């Protein structure tokens, strides 16, 4: 769930994007690689969206598991020494 699967070696494709002119100027002055920065942030946004989706899809099972643990405890409750 935490790792998104994509091929970092996949060929690059051109994309038309609009960006705030001031941000673009500052990025250029600081020699920030826009393509690399965009890919890194997009991968993080995708990871977060996939996490939210996974949690929503599995909410019922997670809630049921938590109810069961709350009611019965875990199998190792009697084995712990702390």
């Amino acid at each position: 769930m935490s790792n998104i699967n994509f091929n970092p070696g996949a060929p690059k494709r051109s994309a038309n994007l609009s960006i705030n002119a001031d941000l673009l100027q500052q990025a250029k002055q600081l020699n920030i690689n826009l393509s690399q920065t965009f890919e890194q942030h997009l991968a993080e946004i995708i990871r977060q969206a996939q996490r939210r989706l996974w949690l929503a899809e599995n909410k019922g099972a997670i809630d049921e598991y938590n109810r069961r643990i709350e009611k019965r405890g875990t199998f190792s409750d009697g084995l712990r020494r702390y």
Side-chain angles (χ1 to χ4, degrees):
M1 179 180 73
S2 63
N3 294 331
I4 63 169
N5 286 328
F6 73 99
N7 179 359
K12 304 288 184 179
R13 293 188 61 183
S14 295
N16 291 327
L17 301 171
S18 297
I19 186 170
N20 177 286
D22 186 46
L23 287 175
L24 180 60
Q25 179 185 6
Q26 290 182 48
K28 285 184 178 184
Q29 288 173 347
L30 296 169
N31 295 318
I32 294 173
N33 182 321
L34 293 178
S35 295
Q36 181 182 33
T37 301
F38 175 75
E39 284 183 2
Q40 289 171 347
H41 287 285
L42 185 58
E44 178 60 23
I45 290 167
I46 290 170
R47 187 192 67 74
Q48 291 172 4
Q50 288 176 333
R51 180 180 188 275
R52 284 190 303 271
L53 180 62
W54 186 91
L55 286 171
E57 289 174 347
N58 292 282
K59 184 178 183 343
I62 293 167
D63 290 345
E64 177 57 32
Y65 173 80
N66 288 334
R67 279 191 295 274
R68 186 173 30 129
I69 296 302
E70 194 173 308
K71 181 178 178 182
R72 299 182 187 156
T74 63
F75 75 94
S76 64
D77 282 347
L79 302 175
R80 288 188 264 171
R81 296 179 187 219
Y82 53 90

